[in-house]
Short mmCIF file of all heavy atoms in Angstrom, two decimals:
data_model
loop_
_atom_site.label_atom_id
_atom_site.label_comp_id
_atom_site.label_asym_id
_atom_site.label_seq_id
_atom_site.Cartn_x
_atom_site.Cartn_y
_atom_site.Cartn_z
N ALA A 958 0.84 -1.18 0.00
CA ALA A 958 0.00 0.00 0.00
C ALA A 958 0.88 1.23 0.00
O ALA A 958 1.88 1.27 0.69
CB ALA A 958 -0.92 0.01 1.20
N GLN A 959 0.47 2.20 -0.76
CA GLN A 959 1.20 3.45 -0.83
C GLN A 959 0.22 4.56 -0.49
O GLN A 959 -0.85 4.65 -1.08
CB GLN A 959 1.76 3.65 -2.24
CG GLN A 959 2.49 4.94 -2.42
CD GLN A 959 2.97 5.10 -3.86
OE1 GLN A 959 2.63 4.35 -4.74
NE2 GLN A 959 3.75 6.12 -4.08
N GLN A 960 0.56 5.37 0.51
CA GLN A 960 -0.35 6.42 0.92
C GLN A 960 0.17 7.77 0.47
O GLN A 960 1.33 8.10 0.67
CB GLN A 960 -0.52 6.41 2.44
CG GLN A 960 -1.60 7.36 2.89
CD GLN A 960 -2.04 7.09 4.32
OE1 GLN A 960 -1.64 6.12 4.93
NE2 GLN A 960 -2.86 7.95 4.84
N GLN A 961 -0.72 8.53 -0.17
CA GLN A 961 -0.40 9.88 -0.63
C GLN A 961 -1.49 10.79 -0.09
O GLN A 961 -2.58 10.82 -0.61
CB GLN A 961 -0.37 9.94 -2.15
CG GLN A 961 0.70 9.07 -2.76
CD GLN A 961 0.63 9.04 -4.27
OE1 GLN A 961 -0.33 9.51 -4.88
NE2 GLN A 961 1.65 8.50 -4.88
N GLY A 962 -1.18 11.50 0.99
CA GLY A 962 -2.21 12.31 1.63
C GLY A 962 -3.28 11.41 2.17
O GLY A 962 -3.01 10.50 2.94
N LYS A 963 -4.52 11.62 1.74
CA LYS A 963 -5.63 10.78 2.18
C LYS A 963 -5.91 9.64 1.22
O LYS A 963 -6.79 8.84 1.44
CB LYS A 963 -6.89 11.64 2.34
CG LYS A 963 -6.77 12.65 3.44
CD LYS A 963 -8.04 13.44 3.57
CE LYS A 963 -7.91 14.48 4.66
NZ LYS A 963 -9.13 15.25 4.81
N LEU A 964 -5.16 9.55 0.14
CA LEU A 964 -5.36 8.53 -0.88
C LEU A 964 -4.40 7.37 -0.63
O LEU A 964 -3.20 7.57 -0.45
CB LEU A 964 -5.11 9.11 -2.27
CG LEU A 964 -5.32 8.19 -3.46
CD1 LEU A 964 -6.78 7.78 -3.55
CD2 LEU A 964 -4.89 8.89 -4.72
N VAL A 965 -4.93 6.16 -0.58
CA VAL A 965 -4.10 4.96 -0.41
C VAL A 965 -4.23 4.14 -1.68
O VAL A 965 -5.33 3.76 -2.07
CB VAL A 965 -4.55 4.13 0.81
CG1 VAL A 965 -3.72 2.86 0.92
CG2 VAL A 965 -4.47 4.95 2.09
N MET A 966 -3.10 3.87 -2.31
CA MET A 966 -3.10 3.08 -3.53
C MET A 966 -2.62 1.68 -3.18
O MET A 966 -1.58 1.51 -2.55
CB MET A 966 -2.19 3.73 -4.57
CG MET A 966 -2.66 5.12 -4.93
SD MET A 966 -1.56 5.96 -6.06
CE MET A 966 -1.84 5.02 -7.54
N LEU A 967 -3.40 0.67 -3.57
CA LEU A 967 -3.05 -0.72 -3.33
C LEU A 967 -2.77 -1.41 -4.65
O LEU A 967 -3.46 -1.17 -5.63
CB LEU A 967 -4.20 -1.45 -2.62
CG LEU A 967 -4.62 -0.90 -1.28
CD1 LEU A 967 -5.86 -1.63 -0.78
CD2 LEU A 967 -3.50 -1.03 -0.28
N GLN A 968 -1.78 -2.28 -4.63
CA GLN A 968 -1.47 -3.07 -5.83
C GLN A 968 -1.26 -4.51 -5.39
O GLN A 968 -0.53 -4.77 -4.44
CB GLN A 968 -0.20 -2.54 -6.48
CG GLN A 968 0.20 -3.31 -7.71
CD GLN A 968 1.44 -2.73 -8.35
OE1 GLN A 968 1.94 -1.69 -7.96
NE2 GLN A 968 1.94 -3.40 -9.35
N ALA A 969 -1.93 -5.40 -6.06
CA ALA A 969 -1.78 -6.83 -5.77
C ALA A 969 -0.95 -7.47 -6.87
O ALA A 969 -1.19 -7.24 -8.05
CB ALA A 969 -3.15 -7.51 -5.68
N ASP A 970 0.03 -8.24 -6.48
CA ASP A 970 0.90 -8.92 -7.43
C ASP A 970 0.33 -10.31 -7.69
O ASP A 970 0.27 -11.15 -6.80
CB ASP A 970 2.31 -9.02 -6.86
CG ASP A 970 3.27 -9.68 -7.82
OD1 ASP A 970 2.85 -10.14 -8.90
OD2 ASP A 970 4.47 -9.77 -7.48
N TRP A 971 -0.08 -10.53 -8.92
CA TRP A 971 -0.69 -11.80 -9.29
C TRP A 971 0.24 -12.58 -10.20
O TRP A 971 -0.18 -13.31 -11.08
CB TRP A 971 -2.04 -11.55 -9.95
CG TRP A 971 -3.04 -12.63 -9.74
CD1 TRP A 971 -3.06 -13.56 -8.74
CD2 TRP A 971 -4.16 -12.92 -10.56
NE1 TRP A 971 -4.14 -14.39 -8.89
CE2 TRP A 971 -4.83 -14.01 -10.00
CE3 TRP A 971 -4.66 -12.35 -11.71
CZ2 TRP A 971 -5.98 -14.55 -10.55
CZ3 TRP A 971 -5.81 -12.88 -12.25
CH2 TRP A 971 -6.46 -13.97 -11.68
N THR A 972 1.56 -12.39 -9.99
CA THR A 972 2.55 -13.10 -10.78
C THR A 972 2.35 -14.60 -10.62
O THR A 972 2.42 -15.36 -11.58
CB THR A 972 3.98 -12.71 -10.35
OG1 THR A 972 4.11 -11.31 -10.45
CG2 THR A 972 5.02 -13.39 -11.21
N ARG A 973 2.12 -15.02 -9.39
CA ARG A 973 1.79 -16.41 -9.10
C ARG A 973 0.35 -16.45 -8.63
O ARG A 973 -0.10 -15.55 -7.92
CB ARG A 973 2.71 -16.95 -8.00
CG ARG A 973 4.12 -17.19 -8.54
CD ARG A 973 5.06 -17.66 -7.45
NE ARG A 973 5.67 -16.44 -6.92
CZ ARG A 973 5.94 -16.22 -5.65
NH1 ARG A 973 5.69 -17.13 -4.75
NH2 ARG A 973 6.48 -15.10 -5.26
N PRO A 974 -0.41 -17.47 -9.02
CA PRO A 974 -1.81 -17.55 -8.59
C PRO A 974 -1.94 -17.41 -7.07
O PRO A 974 -1.12 -17.92 -6.32
CB PRO A 974 -2.24 -18.94 -9.05
CG PRO A 974 -1.35 -19.23 -10.22
CD PRO A 974 -0.03 -18.60 -9.87
N ASP A 975 -2.96 -16.67 -6.67
CA ASP A 975 -3.20 -16.40 -5.25
C ASP A 975 -4.70 -16.51 -5.00
O ASP A 975 -5.48 -15.81 -5.64
CB ASP A 975 -2.68 -15.01 -4.90
CG ASP A 975 -2.84 -14.66 -3.45
OD1 ASP A 975 -3.99 -14.33 -3.06
OD2 ASP A 975 -1.85 -14.73 -2.71
N ARG A 976 -5.10 -17.36 -4.07
CA ARG A 976 -6.53 -17.57 -3.80
C ARG A 976 -7.22 -16.31 -3.30
O ARG A 976 -8.37 -16.05 -3.65
CB ARG A 976 -6.72 -18.70 -2.79
CG ARG A 976 -6.70 -20.06 -3.46
CD ARG A 976 -6.96 -21.13 -2.48
NE ARG A 976 -5.64 -21.39 -1.88
CZ ARG A 976 -5.39 -22.28 -0.97
NH1 ARG A 976 -6.35 -22.99 -0.47
NH2 ARG A 976 -4.17 -22.46 -0.52
N ASP A 977 -6.55 -15.54 -2.45
CA ASP A 977 -7.18 -14.32 -1.92
C ASP A 977 -7.46 -13.32 -3.04
O ASP A 977 -8.54 -12.72 -3.09
CB ASP A 977 -6.30 -13.67 -0.84
CG ASP A 977 -6.23 -14.50 0.42
OD1 ASP A 977 -7.18 -15.26 0.70
OD2 ASP A 977 -5.21 -14.39 1.14
N ILE A 978 -6.51 -13.14 -3.93
CA ILE A 978 -6.73 -12.22 -5.05
C ILE A 978 -7.82 -12.77 -5.97
O ILE A 978 -8.69 -12.02 -6.42
CB ILE A 978 -5.42 -11.97 -5.82
CG1 ILE A 978 -4.40 -11.24 -4.92
CG2 ILE A 978 -5.67 -11.17 -7.10
CD1 ILE A 978 -3.01 -11.12 -5.52
N SER A 979 -7.79 -14.06 -6.24
CA SER A 979 -8.82 -14.67 -7.09
C SER A 979 -10.21 -14.47 -6.50
O SER A 979 -11.16 -14.13 -7.22
CB SER A 979 -8.55 -16.16 -7.27
OG SER A 979 -7.35 -16.35 -7.98
N ARG A 980 -10.36 -14.68 -5.20
CA ARG A 980 -11.66 -14.48 -4.53
C ARG A 980 -12.09 -13.02 -4.61
O ARG A 980 -13.26 -12.72 -4.86
CB ARG A 980 -11.59 -14.92 -3.08
CG ARG A 980 -11.84 -16.40 -2.89
CD ARG A 980 -12.08 -16.74 -1.42
NE ARG A 980 -10.89 -16.51 -0.62
CZ ARG A 980 -9.99 -17.44 -0.31
NH1 ARG A 980 -10.16 -18.68 -0.74
NH2 ARG A 980 -8.94 -17.16 0.41
N PHE A 981 -11.14 -12.10 -4.38
CA PHE A 981 -11.46 -10.67 -4.46
C PHE A 981 -11.97 -10.33 -5.85
O PHE A 981 -13.00 -9.67 -6.00
CB PHE A 981 -10.24 -9.84 -4.09
CG PHE A 981 -10.48 -8.36 -4.16
CD1 PHE A 981 -11.10 -7.70 -3.12
CD2 PHE A 981 -10.10 -7.63 -5.27
CE1 PHE A 981 -11.35 -6.33 -3.18
CE2 PHE A 981 -10.34 -6.27 -5.35
CZ PHE A 981 -10.96 -5.62 -4.30
N LEU A 982 -11.27 -10.76 -6.88
CA LEU A 982 -11.69 -10.48 -8.25
C LEU A 982 -13.06 -11.08 -8.54
O LEU A 982 -13.91 -10.43 -9.16
CB LEU A 982 -10.66 -11.02 -9.24
CG LEU A 982 -9.30 -10.31 -9.27
CD1 LEU A 982 -8.32 -11.10 -10.12
CD2 LEU A 982 -9.44 -8.89 -9.75
N ALA A 983 -13.30 -12.31 -8.09
CA ALA A 983 -14.57 -12.99 -8.34
C ALA A 983 -15.74 -12.24 -7.71
O ALA A 983 -16.84 -12.25 -8.25
CB ALA A 983 -14.50 -14.42 -7.84
N GLN A 984 -15.50 -11.58 -6.58
CA GLN A 984 -16.56 -10.79 -5.94
C GLN A 984 -17.09 -9.71 -6.88
O GLN A 984 -18.22 -9.27 -6.75
CB GLN A 984 -16.05 -10.10 -4.67
CG GLN A 984 -15.78 -11.00 -3.52
CD GLN A 984 -15.19 -10.23 -2.34
OE1 GLN A 984 -14.83 -9.06 -2.45
NE2 GLN A 984 -15.08 -10.90 -1.22
N TYR A 985 -16.25 -9.28 -7.80
CA TYR A 985 -16.62 -8.21 -8.73
C TYR A 985 -16.86 -8.75 -10.14
O TYR A 985 -16.90 -7.98 -11.10
CB TYR A 985 -15.54 -7.13 -8.72
CG TYR A 985 -15.47 -6.45 -7.38
CD1 TYR A 985 -14.59 -6.88 -6.40
CD2 TYR A 985 -16.35 -5.42 -7.07
CE1 TYR A 985 -14.57 -6.29 -5.15
CE2 TYR A 985 -16.34 -4.83 -5.83
CZ TYR A 985 -15.45 -5.26 -4.88
OH TYR A 985 -15.43 -4.68 -3.63
N GLY A 986 -17.02 -10.07 -10.25
CA GLY A 986 -17.30 -10.66 -11.55
C GLY A 986 -16.13 -10.64 -12.50
O GLY A 986 -16.30 -10.71 -13.71
N ARG A 987 -14.94 -10.52 -11.96
CA ARG A 987 -13.73 -10.49 -12.78
C ARG A 987 -12.89 -11.72 -12.47
O ARG A 987 -12.88 -12.22 -11.35
CB ARG A 987 -12.90 -9.23 -12.51
CG ARG A 987 -13.62 -7.93 -12.77
CD ARG A 987 -13.73 -7.66 -14.27
NE ARG A 987 -14.49 -6.47 -14.55
CZ ARG A 987 -13.96 -5.27 -14.73
NH1 ARG A 987 -12.67 -5.10 -14.64
NH2 ARG A 987 -14.73 -4.24 -15.00
N PHE A 988 -12.18 -12.18 -13.47
CA PHE A 988 -11.38 -13.38 -13.28
C PHE A 988 -9.96 -13.20 -13.78
O PHE A 988 -9.24 -14.16 -13.98
CB PHE A 988 -12.07 -14.57 -13.97
CG PHE A 988 -13.44 -14.80 -13.38
CD1 PHE A 988 -14.56 -14.25 -13.98
CD2 PHE A 988 -13.58 -15.49 -12.20
CE1 PHE A 988 -15.82 -14.43 -13.41
CE2 PHE A 988 -14.83 -15.68 -11.63
CZ PHE A 988 -15.94 -15.13 -12.24
N GLY A 989 -9.58 -11.95 -13.99
CA GLY A 989 -8.23 -11.66 -14.43
C GLY A 989 -7.91 -10.20 -14.21
O GLY A 989 -8.71 -9.44 -13.67
N ILE A 990 -6.73 -9.84 -14.62
CA ILE A 990 -6.27 -8.48 -14.47
C ILE A 990 -6.07 -7.87 -15.85
O ILE A 990 -5.93 -8.62 -16.82
CB ILE A 990 -4.97 -8.42 -13.63
CG1 ILE A 990 -3.93 -9.37 -14.21
CG2 ILE A 990 -5.25 -8.76 -12.19
CD1 ILE A 990 -2.59 -9.29 -13.54
N PRO A 991 -6.11 -6.58 -16.03
CA PRO A 991 -6.13 -5.58 -14.97
C PRO A 991 -7.52 -5.42 -14.35
O PRO A 991 -8.53 -5.65 -15.01
CB PRO A 991 -5.73 -4.29 -15.68
CG PRO A 991 -6.22 -4.46 -17.08
CD PRO A 991 -6.08 -5.94 -17.37
N PHE A 992 -7.52 -5.07 -13.09
CA PHE A 992 -8.75 -4.76 -12.36
C PHE A 992 -8.46 -3.49 -11.59
O PHE A 992 -7.54 -3.43 -10.79
CB PHE A 992 -9.13 -5.88 -11.40
CG PHE A 992 -10.32 -5.53 -10.52
CD1 PHE A 992 -11.59 -5.55 -11.04
CD2 PHE A 992 -10.13 -5.14 -9.21
CE1 PHE A 992 -12.69 -5.21 -10.25
CE2 PHE A 992 -11.21 -4.80 -8.42
CZ PHE A 992 -12.49 -4.84 -8.94
N ASN A 993 -9.25 -2.47 -11.85
CA ASN A 993 -9.07 -1.19 -11.17
C ASN A 993 -10.39 -0.75 -10.57
O ASN A 993 -11.43 -0.81 -11.23
CB ASN A 993 -8.59 -0.12 -12.17
CG ASN A 993 -7.24 -0.46 -12.76
OD1 ASN A 993 -6.24 -0.43 -12.08
ND2 ASN A 993 -7.22 -0.82 -14.04
N ALA A 994 -10.34 -0.32 -9.33
CA ALA A 994 -11.53 0.14 -8.63
C ALA A 994 -11.14 1.27 -7.69
O ALA A 994 -10.00 1.35 -7.23
CB ALA A 994 -12.17 -0.99 -7.85
N ILE A 995 -12.10 2.12 -7.41
CA ILE A 995 -11.92 3.21 -6.44
C ILE A 995 -12.90 2.97 -5.31
O ILE A 995 -14.10 2.84 -5.55
CB ILE A 995 -12.18 4.58 -7.10
CG1 ILE A 995 -11.17 4.82 -8.23
CG2 ILE A 995 -12.13 5.69 -6.06
CD1 ILE A 995 -11.46 6.05 -9.06
N PHE A 996 -12.37 2.91 -4.10
CA PHE A 996 -13.19 2.74 -2.90
C PHE A 996 -13.10 4.03 -2.09
O PHE A 996 -12.03 4.61 -1.96
CB PHE A 996 -12.69 1.56 -2.06
CG PHE A 996 -12.75 0.25 -2.78
CD1 PHE A 996 -11.70 -0.19 -3.55
CD2 PHE A 996 -13.89 -0.54 -2.70
CE1 PHE A 996 -11.75 -1.40 -4.22
CE2 PHE A 996 -13.96 -1.75 -3.37
CZ PHE A 996 -12.88 -2.18 -4.13
N SER A 997 -14.23 4.46 -1.55
CA SER A 997 -14.25 5.67 -0.73
C SER A 997 -15.37 5.52 0.29
O SER A 997 -16.21 4.62 0.18
CB SER A 997 -14.49 6.90 -1.61
OG SER A 997 -15.81 6.93 -2.10
N PRO A 998 -15.40 6.42 1.28
CA PRO A 998 -16.49 6.34 2.25
C PRO A 998 -17.87 6.41 1.60
O PRO A 998 -18.80 5.73 2.03
CB PRO A 998 -16.24 7.55 3.15
CG PRO A 998 -14.76 7.76 3.09
CD PRO A 998 -14.40 7.42 1.65
N SER A 999 -18.00 7.18 0.52
CA SER A 999 -19.30 7.27 -0.15
C SER A 999 -19.55 6.11 -1.11
O SER A 999 -20.67 5.91 -1.57
CB SER A 999 -19.42 8.61 -0.89
OG SER A 999 -18.45 8.69 -1.92
N HIS A 1000 -18.52 5.34 -1.42
CA HIS A 1000 -18.63 4.18 -2.32
C HIS A 1000 -17.84 3.00 -1.75
O HIS A 1000 -16.86 2.56 -2.34
CB HIS A 1000 -18.13 4.53 -3.72
CG HIS A 1000 -19.03 5.45 -4.47
ND1 HIS A 1000 -19.00 6.81 -4.30
CD2 HIS A 1000 -20.02 5.19 -5.35
CE1 HIS A 1000 -19.92 7.36 -5.07
NE2 HIS A 1000 -20.56 6.41 -5.71
N PRO A 1001 -18.26 2.49 -0.59
CA PRO A 1001 -17.49 1.41 0.04
C PRO A 1001 -17.47 0.11 -0.76
O PRO A 1001 -16.56 -0.70 -0.61
CB PRO A 1001 -18.17 1.22 1.39
CG PRO A 1001 -19.55 1.77 1.21
CD PRO A 1001 -19.43 2.87 0.19
N ALA A 1002 -18.45 -0.10 -1.64
CA ALA A 1002 -18.47 -1.29 -2.48
C ALA A 1002 -17.57 -1.12 -3.70
O ALA A 1002 -17.32 -2.07 -4.42
CB ALA A 1002 -19.89 -1.62 -2.92
N GLY A 1003 -17.11 0.09 -3.92
CA GLY A 1003 -16.19 0.38 -5.01
C GLY A 1003 -16.86 0.85 -6.29
O GLY A 1003 -18.00 0.50 -6.58
N ILE A 1004 -16.13 1.65 -7.01
CA ILE A 1004 -16.51 2.06 -8.36
C ILE A 1004 -15.56 1.30 -9.27
O ILE A 1004 -14.34 1.51 -9.23
CB ILE A 1004 -16.34 3.58 -8.56
CG1 ILE A 1004 -17.24 4.36 -7.61
CG2 ILE A 1004 -16.62 3.96 -10.02
CD1 ILE A 1004 -16.95 5.85 -7.58
N ILE A 1005 -16.09 0.39 -10.04
CA ILE A 1005 -15.27 -0.45 -10.90
C ILE A 1005 -14.95 0.32 -12.18
O ILE A 1005 -15.85 0.83 -12.86
CB ILE A 1005 -15.98 -1.77 -11.24
CG1 ILE A 1005 -16.49 -2.44 -9.96
CG2 ILE A 1005 -15.06 -2.69 -12.04
CD1 ILE A 1005 -15.47 -2.63 -8.87
N LEU A 1006 -13.68 0.41 -12.50
CA LEU A 1006 -13.23 1.14 -13.68
C LEU A 1006 -13.03 0.18 -14.84
O LEU A 1006 -12.82 -1.02 -14.64
CB LEU A 1006 -11.92 1.86 -13.37
CG LEU A 1006 -11.95 2.84 -12.18
CD1 LEU A 1006 -10.58 3.44 -11.98
CD2 LEU A 1006 -12.99 3.91 -12.39
N PRO A 1007 -13.07 0.71 -16.07
CA PRO A 1007 -12.83 -0.15 -17.23
C PRO A 1007 -11.37 -0.63 -17.24
O PRO A 1007 -10.52 -0.08 -16.56
CB PRO A 1007 -13.13 0.76 -18.41
CG PRO A 1007 -12.99 2.13 -17.91
CD PRO A 1007 -13.33 2.09 -16.45
N GLU A 1008 -11.12 -1.64 -18.05
CA GLU A 1008 -9.77 -2.19 -18.13
C GLU A 1008 -8.79 -1.22 -18.76
O GLU A 1008 -7.63 -1.14 -18.37
CB GLU A 1008 -9.79 -3.51 -18.90
CG GLU A 1008 -10.51 -4.60 -18.13
CD GLU A 1008 -10.67 -5.88 -18.92
OE1 GLU A 1008 -10.18 -5.94 -20.07
OE2 GLU A 1008 -11.26 -6.81 -18.38
N LEU A 1009 -9.25 -0.47 -19.75
CA LEU A 1009 -8.41 0.55 -20.37
C LEU A 1009 -8.73 1.89 -19.75
O LEU A 1009 -9.87 2.34 -19.81
CB LEU A 1009 -8.63 0.58 -21.88
CG LEU A 1009 -8.27 -0.70 -22.63
CD1 LEU A 1009 -8.65 -0.59 -24.10
CD2 LEU A 1009 -6.80 -1.04 -22.47
N LEU A 1010 -7.73 2.52 -19.16
CA LEU A 1010 -7.94 3.77 -18.44
C LEU A 1010 -7.38 4.96 -19.19
O LEU A 1010 -6.38 4.84 -19.90
CB LEU A 1010 -7.26 3.70 -17.07
CG LEU A 1010 -7.74 2.64 -16.10
CD1 LEU A 1010 -6.88 2.64 -14.85
CD2 LEU A 1010 -9.20 2.85 -15.76
N THR A 1011 -8.05 6.09 -19.00
CA THR A 1011 -7.52 7.38 -19.45
C THR A 1011 -7.49 8.28 -18.22
O THR A 1011 -8.15 8.00 -17.21
CB THR A 1011 -8.42 8.02 -20.52
OG1 THR A 1011 -9.70 8.32 -19.94
CG2 THR A 1011 -8.59 7.11 -21.73
N THR A 1012 -6.76 9.36 -18.31
CA THR A 1012 -6.72 10.32 -17.22
C THR A 1012 -8.11 10.85 -16.91
O THR A 1012 -8.49 10.99 -15.75
CB THR A 1012 -5.77 11.49 -17.57
OG1 THR A 1012 -4.48 10.96 -17.85
CG2 THR A 1012 -5.67 12.49 -16.44
N ASP A 1013 -8.90 11.09 -17.97
CA ASP A 1013 -10.26 11.60 -17.79
C ASP A 1013 -11.13 10.61 -17.02
O ASP A 1013 -11.88 11.00 -16.13
CB ASP A 1013 -10.89 11.92 -19.15
CG ASP A 1013 -12.25 12.56 -19.00
OD1 ASP A 1013 -12.36 13.57 -18.27
OD2 ASP A 1013 -13.22 12.03 -19.59
N ILE A 1014 -11.04 9.33 -17.35
CA ILE A 1014 -11.83 8.30 -16.65
C ILE A 1014 -11.45 8.28 -15.17
O ILE A 1014 -12.32 8.26 -14.29
CB ILE A 1014 -11.62 6.91 -17.28
CG1 ILE A 1014 -12.28 6.86 -18.65
CG2 ILE A 1014 -12.15 5.80 -16.37
CD1 ILE A 1014 -11.93 5.62 -19.47
N VAL A 1015 -10.17 8.28 -14.87
CA VAL A 1015 -9.72 8.23 -13.48
C VAL A 1015 -10.16 9.49 -12.74
O VAL A 1015 -10.74 9.42 -11.65
CB VAL A 1015 -8.20 8.04 -13.39
CG1 VAL A 1015 -7.72 8.15 -11.95
CG2 VAL A 1015 -7.80 6.69 -13.99
N ASP A 1016 -9.91 10.67 -13.32
CA ASP A 1016 -10.30 11.93 -12.68
C ASP A 1016 -11.80 12.00 -12.42
O ASP A 1016 -12.24 12.39 -11.34
CB ASP A 1016 -9.87 13.13 -13.53
CG ASP A 1016 -8.38 13.37 -13.51
OD1 ASP A 1016 -7.69 12.82 -12.62
OD2 ASP A 1016 -7.90 14.12 -14.39
N ARG A 1017 -12.60 11.63 -13.41
CA ARG A 1017 -14.05 11.69 -13.29
C ARG A 1017 -14.55 10.76 -12.17
O ARG A 1017 -15.40 11.13 -11.37
CB ARG A 1017 -14.69 11.31 -14.63
CG ARG A 1017 -16.17 11.55 -14.69
CD ARG A 1017 -16.74 11.36 -16.10
NE ARG A 1017 -16.44 10.05 -16.66
CZ ARG A 1017 -15.71 9.86 -17.77
NH1 ARG A 1017 -15.24 10.88 -18.44
NH2 ARG A 1017 -15.48 8.64 -18.21
N ASN A 1018 -13.98 9.58 -12.07
CA ASN A 1018 -14.42 8.63 -11.04
C ASN A 1018 -13.87 8.98 -9.67
O ASN A 1018 -14.52 8.69 -8.66
CB ASN A 1018 -14.08 7.21 -11.46
CG ASN A 1018 -15.05 6.72 -12.51
OD1 ASN A 1018 -16.19 6.38 -12.18
ND2 ASN A 1018 -14.64 6.71 -13.77
N LEU A 1019 -12.71 9.59 -9.58
CA LEU A 1019 -12.23 10.10 -8.29
C LEU A 1019 -13.19 11.18 -7.79
O LEU A 1019 -13.52 11.22 -6.60
CB LEU A 1019 -10.81 10.64 -8.39
CG LEU A 1019 -9.70 9.59 -8.52
CD1 LEU A 1019 -8.38 10.27 -8.88
CD2 LEU A 1019 -9.57 8.78 -7.25
N ASP A 1020 -13.63 12.05 -8.69
CA ASP A 1020 -14.62 13.07 -8.32
C ASP A 1020 -15.92 12.42 -7.88
O ASP A 1020 -16.51 12.81 -6.85
CB ASP A 1020 -14.89 14.04 -9.48
CG ASP A 1020 -13.75 14.99 -9.75
OD1 ASP A 1020 -12.88 15.17 -8.86
OD2 ASP A 1020 -13.71 15.55 -10.86
N LEU A 1021 -16.40 11.42 -8.62
CA LEU A 1021 -17.62 10.71 -8.28
C LEU A 1021 -17.51 10.07 -6.90
O LEU A 1021 -18.47 10.08 -6.12
CB LEU A 1021 -17.92 9.64 -9.33
CG LEU A 1021 -19.13 8.75 -9.11
CD1 LEU A 1021 -20.41 9.58 -9.15
CD2 LEU A 1021 -19.18 7.65 -10.15
N ALA A 1022 -16.32 9.57 -6.58
CA ALA A 1022 -16.09 8.92 -5.28
C ALA A 1022 -15.95 9.94 -4.15
O ALA A 1022 -15.85 9.58 -2.99
CB ALA A 1022 -14.86 8.05 -5.35
N GLY A 1023 -15.91 11.23 -4.52
CA GLY A 1023 -15.76 12.27 -3.51
C GLY A 1023 -14.35 12.44 -3.03
O GLY A 1023 -14.11 12.94 -1.91
N LEU A 1024 -13.39 12.05 -3.85
CA LEU A 1024 -11.98 12.15 -3.48
C LEU A 1024 -11.34 13.30 -4.24
O LEU A 1024 -11.21 13.25 -5.46
CB LEU A 1024 -11.26 10.83 -3.78
CG LEU A 1024 -11.82 9.61 -3.07
CD1 LEU A 1024 -11.17 8.35 -3.61
CD2 LEU A 1024 -11.61 9.73 -1.58
N ASP A 1025 -10.93 14.32 -3.53
CA ASP A 1025 -10.26 15.46 -4.13
C ASP A 1025 -8.76 15.22 -4.04
O ASP A 1025 -8.17 15.29 -2.97
CB ASP A 1025 -10.63 16.76 -3.40
CG ASP A 1025 -9.96 17.97 -4.00
OD1 ASP A 1025 -9.54 17.92 -5.17
OD2 ASP A 1025 -9.82 18.97 -3.28
N VAL A 1026 -8.15 14.88 -5.17
CA VAL A 1026 -6.73 14.57 -5.17
C VAL A 1026 -5.87 15.67 -5.77
O VAL A 1026 -4.68 15.52 -5.91
CB VAL A 1026 -6.45 13.22 -5.88
CG1 VAL A 1026 -7.08 12.09 -5.11
CG2 VAL A 1026 -6.92 13.25 -7.30
N ASN A 1027 -6.48 16.76 -6.16
CA ASN A 1027 -5.71 17.87 -6.75
C ASN A 1027 -5.20 18.81 -5.70
O ASN A 1027 -5.64 19.00 -4.68
CB ASN A 1027 -6.56 18.63 -7.76
CG ASN A 1027 -6.89 17.75 -8.95
OD1 ASN A 1027 -6.04 17.00 -9.40
ND2 ASN A 1027 -8.11 17.82 -9.42
#
């Protein structure tokens, strides 16, 4: 986990199969990577992002999640 101000970025390494990561992905109907989601107090279940990201997609969803990162 990497914390930047109030934002915590998590990255899971799936180089080798891992049951915990597989279960986490399955909870969201995903069975592979990349998987990107934004979790916040207003969206504790997460906002699931598309596999291909743009700066606009990330910025728009951070705003939707109520996270001011600027």
Side-chain angles (χ1 to χ4, degrees):
Q959 178 182 9
Q960 188 164 353
Q961 298 174 349
K963 294 181 181 180
L964 182 64
V965 177
M966 299 176 71
L967 301 174
Q968 179 178 353
D970 182 356
W971 210 23
T972 304
R973 287 177 268 142
D975 182 283
R976 276 183 276 181
D977 291 333
I978 295 172
S979 295
R980 274 193 294 265
F981 179 82
L982 291 171
Q984 289 176 351
Y985 294 94
R987 301 285 176 93
F988 300 95
I990 52 175
F992 174 76
N993 297 290
I995 298 172
F996 298 89
S997 71
S999 64
H1000 289 83
I1004 299 170
I1005 309 308
L1006 303 179
E1008 292 174 2
L1009 298 175
L1010 298 176
T1011 65
T1012 302
D1013 185 53
I1014 290 170
V1015 174
D1016 287 344
R1017 189 172 56 242
N1018 284 284
L1019 286 169
D1020 288 342
L1021 177 64
L1024 301 171
D1025 180 21
V1026 295
N1027 295 320

